[in-house]
Amino acid sequence: MAELVRRHELQNGFQRADAIEQQARQLPTMEQRVFKRAELLAARLGLVHQLRLWDHFRRLIAILLSLFAIIGAVAVVRGTLSVSQPISLSYALMMLLGLHIILFVLWCFSLIIKDSYGWVGRVSLWGLEHIGQRQYNQQFNNTLLTIANQYGLTKPAGAALTHGYWTLFMLAVWFVLFFHLSTSAYAFTWATTIWPAATLQTWVSVIGFLPSLFGVDAPSVAALWDQPSESAQLEAGRWLLSCVIIYGVAWRLLFLIGAIGVLIARIRKMTIDLTLPGYAPIIRKLTVSAATELVDADSDVSGIDSSQWRTPKPGHGELVLSLDHEADTAWAAQHQREDWYAGVIASSDEKHRLLARLDAEPVAKITVRLNAQLTPDRAAMRFLALLQQYCLNVEALLIISEKSDEKRIVHWQECLDEEGVIWKQ
């Protein structure tokens, strides 16, 4: 949320919110203050509502991927058991575990090559971008990827997504296989065309080592080679189930737990980088003592009510005004009768009339002429911030005369930068 707000302010200018900043200053550390300000400001900007919708899409994609895993597991088991009997145990193992093992090896290679979310993560991000066709989906995805890359979360997050998917897939395979073996009779055998029985028995012993540690022994090649007994068939079915749970579910589950552990450890080490562009004016505002900061009585009372923020209307043409005082009297005399010049706006009534005019007749650009000889006061800054709610393009023009003080000019520039107002002189 802090990153979303930072990017929004870089694009749209610093958002003045006195009540929000006063509330954020109550927290002990600067990081907590920045987070609190982002949380409250995001509600006013409508980002919280958009993020909740984006989160709903994320949950929808997770459900769809889970259903895809379960359907795939059913297809794999039914395809394995639908061949003519007796079914070769080596064929069954390859069908049930082959794709799982191959993709695990490819995932290991992806760790060496580059940071990757894996195909599960990329499908999820693609779905988040396209489901619902929301304009902010791409923005949220880019923000998520930026944070993941910045804090080294890409590999563990991608691993968690990949192993989580395959854990669910193999668990579904085990349950479907258990259901079929429990409700139907299947005949199993050891079959090979190119290997002698002794070599096949060696491979069976190797594969059956881990299941044997849990008390499930692999049926011997001799026991299933010719007219196997019912006990041998029972042993074959149980051994097949044990291989799926050990080499499929348990194996992936261990990697899933490890990936989540690494991800949580890195998340706990995350600290916001306050040196990023956009944080400087925020830090200045949140560093000021709450006791010395003035808050206007009519300024953003609740601080988080999105209804107080007015969305600018698109308009046409340009309006020029002089705020409080016009430094160039000759220029004012020459243009005071022009329709595009609103004159000198100084009193509260004049400001209200101007805002009413802008509400009724929006313009595409407002140029505010500022007398650089004057001191930039709080009322002027608040009015400039208010104008940004009535026009998408507000620009300040500093009128500098020979008597202008250089320090005062710099002060104007700093205040305008803080408010996010574009200026020139």
Side-chain angles (χ1 to χ4, degrees), residues 9 14 16 58 67 70 126 131 140 182 186 199-200 251 256 262 282 291 332 371 399 401 413-414:
E9 291 188 307
F14 180 79
R16 185 132 184 153
R58 179 188 63 81
L67 291 175
I70 294 172
W126 181 88
I131 290 181
F140 289 172
S182 300
Y186 293 93
T199 304
L200 182 59
W251 178 18
L256 173 61
V262 173
I282 297 175
N371 187 349
I399 308 301
S401 62
Q413 295 170 352
E414 291 176 349

Side-chain angles (χ1 to χ4, degrees), residues 185-294:
Y186 293 93
F188 294 99
T189 185
W190 286 111
T192 181
T193 303
I194 61 174
W195 288 348
T199 304
L200 182 59
Q201 183 62 58
T202 302
W203 281 106
V204 171
S205 300
V206 172
I207 298 173
F209 174 73
L210 287 180
S212 67
L213 297 178
F214 297 91
V216 182
D217 295 323
S220 65
V221 174
L224 290 181
W225 193 267
D226 186 27
Q227 296 182 349
S229 63
E230 292 183 2
S231 61
Q233 292 293 350
L234 183 63
E235 187 178 288
R238 291 177 176 175
W239 182 77
L240 187 60
L241 283 171
S242 67
C243 285
V244 172
I245 201 71
I246 291 173
Y247 294 114
V249 179
W251 178 18
R252 282 286 187 176
L253 184 60
L254 289 176
F255 277 90
L256 173 61
I257 294 173
I260 293 176
V262 173
L263 184 62
I264 292 176
R266 293 189 179 181
I267 288 176
R268 287 178 176 175
K269 294 181 181 179
M270 290 172 63
T271 56
I272 190 169
D273 186 0
L274 297 178
T275 63
L276 292 174
Y279 280 133
I282 297 175
I283 293 174
R284 286 198 299 269
K285 293 293 293 183
L286 298 182
T287 303
V288 178
S289 171
T292 60
E293 176 73 1
L294 293 176

Side-chain angles (χ1 to χ4, degrees), residues 89-161:
L89 277 177
S90 56
Y91 169 80
L93 285 175
M94 183 61 67
M95 289 293 293
L96 296 174
L97 298 173
L99 181 63
H100 165 259
I101 295 174
I102 291 172
L103 290 180
F104 177 80
V105 173
L106 293 177
W107 173 80
C108 292
F109 277 113
S110 73
L111 293 180
I112 302 174
I113 297 173
K114 61 180 179 179
D115 288 345
S116 174
Y117 273 108
W119 73 267
V120 179
R122 296 194 179 280
V123 167
S124 302
L125 291 172
W126 181 88
L128 279 173
E129 181 180 346
H130 291 86
I131 290 181
Q133 295 295 324
R134 306 280 179 170
Q135 295 180 354
Y136 50 79
N137 285 357
Q138 183 63 48
Q139 174 192 0
F140 289 172
N141 289 352
N142 291 339
T143 304
L144 177 66
L145 291 174
T146 300
I147 294 174
N149 291 328
Q150 180 180 353
Y151 295 99
L153 306 180
T154 305
K155 285 184 179 179
L161 287 170

